[in-house]
Each structure stands twice: as structure tokens, then as C-alpha cells.
Amino acid sequence: MIADFTQATVSALSVGSMYALIALGVTLIYATTNIINFAQGEFVMLGGMIMVTLYGELNWPLYMAIPLTLVITTLVGMALMKVAYQPGRSTSLITILIITIGASMAISGTAQHIWDADIHRFPPFSGDAPISFLGAAIVPQSLWIVGLTVVVVGALVLFFQFSIYGKAMKACSIDRGAASMLGIRVSAMVMASFGLSAALGCVAGIVMTPMTMIDYSGGMLLAIKGFSAAMLGGMGSFVGAVIGGLLFAFLEAFTSAYISSSYKELVTFIVIINVLLFMPRGLMGPRTVEGFDDDEVLGQ
Amino acid sequence: MTTMIEISNIDVAYGKVPVLSDVSLTVAKGEIVTLIGANGAGKTTLFRALTGVLPKSRGSIVLDGKDITRMKPDRVAREGLAVVPEGRRLFGPMSVLDNLMLGSFLRLTGQGKGAVNEDLDMVFDLFPRLAERREQLARTLSGGEQQMVAISRALMARPKVILMDEPSIGLAPIIVREVFDVIRKLKESGITILLIEQNARMALKVADRAYVMEIGRITAEGDAGDLRQSDIIRKLYLAA
């Protein structure tokens, strides 16, 4: 009984970390641009796939494989800003949203050509031997996942709290018109937020792939889950994204453990729909919208 | 005297609808110039044209010898124009201190990093109440205090010119007087200000020179003291 509970909790924490990282990426781009990036899951897929090649096949050491994977994915994120956000900016938010869905298909299609249609994984960072804890078997990789997520979220919080660039990004998300009048280049900040979001998704892919495996088409479902987690927590809120991601994974894990794994999405989405019916802005979402001007948001 | 802002014959339109036509205006170094006019006269449109938000279909704007007519808002800020926008546009969920630091964003990310602390001291000297509330979120301040933050944020950029859009709007009369006292103080320290105001009575008291705007055109200009006595202004008062 306790073993089941521990097992489900550990699984929820590691999967929840991944959802939290994806949700953070979604929320970050939403905060600076008001668009939902449905290509967010592709960064996770790319993170996993590039590691499959560099670490799994070419046997590069982690300290070389991880940075290069991060750099490539971040560049893809910035390129996405150039091809999706910038040209669509003068049309409407819905156009950009559809462009991101198209970009998602384009990225996964390209990935199928570069790699193949098979499911991949690479060996966990610290082997496969499970550690036993309160009767549950914990794979060492789940410690990597939770640990790295804590480090990444911590770094993100410090960046927005203390760095002038982090503050400038936050300012752009509150009132981009006012921010630009202070000399802040909004387009550079948007570019940075796309790069950062891509890196966050990439980290999720790097740490999760040994456990969950990945194929070229895995991104879209992850993007939808990350988006739902971000909505559940409150779109635009970083704390909300983490809470939403964890909650989403807990619902899934406990439904699987105590009801049936075929119902895990059903139960999770029923809960999310009900939360959003009564709290449309999510659990941690802003109660009021302030200081924003439609003209500025649409860049007119 | 050096000219800091020189607006020459600009036209501005929203789409096909002309809003400003043939507007010219100059501000010399160290001067306070006010642009007054009733609601809907086009004052805020001029603000948006000056800051680079709106394109100009004709004419030019020169800031301290540099043509800024076609520049975007962030470039205009880089050239040394700081703004106190209508409604203050503070970053509400951020602290007073963060708002002020963002005022010196360009210096913090470029040259002159060291001097930012001096400027903070200067601003807190000017508004001791802000020093007490530096950690408070900007949106929790009173309207008057928020206006002080907005003015301080502009000062933190060490700008060549400060452009203020309706700093007195929505404030209690006592606070309005306080805001104008501050503007007077800034003038003594030699800061150049272009003040867009609906409250002509107060604006003409602090300004050196004034322009009157009616339906998108400059209809009168001159010494602020002279304009206070004139009929045009009495008409504006009644209209407002």
C-alpha cells in the first residue's frame, strides 16, 4: 500500500517536473507576447533526439552533449520567433497561434527525415539499477529529473528577480509600450523569451528521454499537456506553471495507480475543465489585468 | 540657446483620418514648454508621434540635433527622450525600486553603470516618501505617489528632455499642486521639459512658453505669462 503510494508519488514528481518545464516555456512566451506556442513540445522532442545522437550513438560525454543540445534547440527557438512571430505580428494573435501549430508539424516532419520514425532512448545518466525507498523502486534518473528541474527553476527565478534583463523581460510582459519608451527593445526581449523557452523544453527532453523515450511525433501531445498545465496554474504565472505541471502529473499518476492507466487523461482533463470553469484564470492567475493597451499588444 | 526639440510641420493620421496637421513646436535647453488644449485636441497624438509610436506622414522631429522622425520608441529613448506617460504606465506588479531601475535600463546595460546609485539618492532626496516605499509594489501606491514614481523613472534615464503627458489627470487638487511643485523644482535644476496638459491654469504657471492646440493645429503660441491673460485661454477654461 505504502509502496504503491510512494511509487506513484515519485513517478508524479518526475513526470511533473517535465510538465512544469514545458508549462514554464509556454507561460514565458505567453507572458511576453500573449501567444500560445503550440510548438513548445517540439523543443522537448529535439532535446531528446539530439541527445540520442550525441550521447547515445556518438558516446559524447554529458558535459559536451548537453550544452550542444541546448545551444541547437535554443537556436531553433529563436528561429521560430523569426519565422512565426515576427511575420505574423501585424496580423492577429490567432494567426500566430496557427503558425505555431504549423511550425510544430514542420519541426516534427523534419525530425523524421533527420532521424527516423522509431522510438528512441539513451542510457540514463547514472545507470538503471533502482534504489529502493519505502518499498518503492526509484530509478536514479528520476533524481536527475527532479534535481535539474529545481536548479533550472531556481535559476529562472533568480534571473527574473535580480537581473536587469530579467526585469526588462518582465516589464515587457506587463506593458510593452511603456517598456519600449524606456529604451528596452521589445523584439530582442521576445527573441530572448523564445530562446529561453526552447532551452526549458530542451532540458525536459534531455532528462526525461531515458525514462519516457521519444520519437519524432512526441512533441504535440507534450505541448498540449504543457499548455493545459500552464492554464491550470494560471497562464503567465511562473509559480502557477510549476504547480500546474506537478498537479497534472499527480492526477495522472494517482489515477493510473488507483483506478486505471487508461483513465489517466480522462480524469486529469475533467479536473482541469472544472477548475477552469470556476477559476477561468487558473489557480495562480492574475485576478485583474492592468496597464495593458490592446493597441500596444497587437503592435499597431 | 540650444534647441533640444524641434518639431517642424508634422502631419499625423490614424489610417486615413488626419489628426494633426502642420504642427511645429520648439523647446530650448532648460526650458519648460507646455502644450495645452481641450480634450480631443490631439495632444496625446502628438505625444505618440514624438515618442515614435505613430508614424508621421510629413515633417520632421529633431532631438538635440539628431533626426528622430522615423525612429521607433526604443531608439527615441536611446537618443535621450524620457517620458512620463498619461496614466503613468508603471509596472504595477513590480516594486518601486525595480520601476526606477528600469528607468536606467539603458545605462545599466551600457555605460554609466556606477552613477545609477547616485541617481537613486537624488530621486529619493526629491521624493523622500518613495525611499520609504522602495520595496512596495508600484500598484499599491496612491495616485500621487505613482506619479512621483513615473517622474522619477524618467529622471533615472538622465534624459536630455522629459516629455510629460497629462501628469495631473485624475489626481486630487492637492496632489496636482504637489506635482507642479515638483516640475518647478526640476526646472530649477535645469531639466528641459515638454509638458502636455489639459489643466491650462496650472501648466501656464510653471511654463516659460506655451502652445495652444485646437483640433489638431497649433492656434496660438507665446510667453506663458502673456497667454494667461489672453482671451484664448479664457475660452479654453470654459471649454474644459
Side-chain angles (χ1 to χ4, degrees), chain A residues 17 20-21 24 147-159 200 238 242:
Chain A
S17 298
L21 289 173
L24 275 171
L148 270 180
T149 304
V150 169
V151 170
V152 166
V153 172
L156 202 64
V157 169
L158 291 179
F159 173 68
L200 287 168
F238 294 136
V242 175

Side-chain angles (χ1 to χ4, degrees), chain B residues 94-146:
Chain B
M94 300 175 82
S95 72
V96 168
L97 190 62
D98 281 352
N99 271 276
L100 297 179
M101 295 308 259
L102 283 167
S104 2
F105 174 79
L106 289 174
R107 288 160 55 215
L108 284 167
T109 56
Q111 286 111 31
K113 256 182 208 179
V116 170
N117 283 330
E118 273 168 43
D119 287 5
L120 265 184
D121 291 343
M122 178 266 290
V123 160
F124 288 148
D125 216 39
L126 198 60
F127 304 112
R129 240 182 310 166
L130 296 188
E132 294 162 24
R133 301 186 176 203
R134 56 204 291 170
E135 299 302 336
Q136 226 168 296
L137 297 187
R139 65 163 169 230
T140 64
L141 302 184
S142 71
E145 288 164 344
Q146 288 192 14

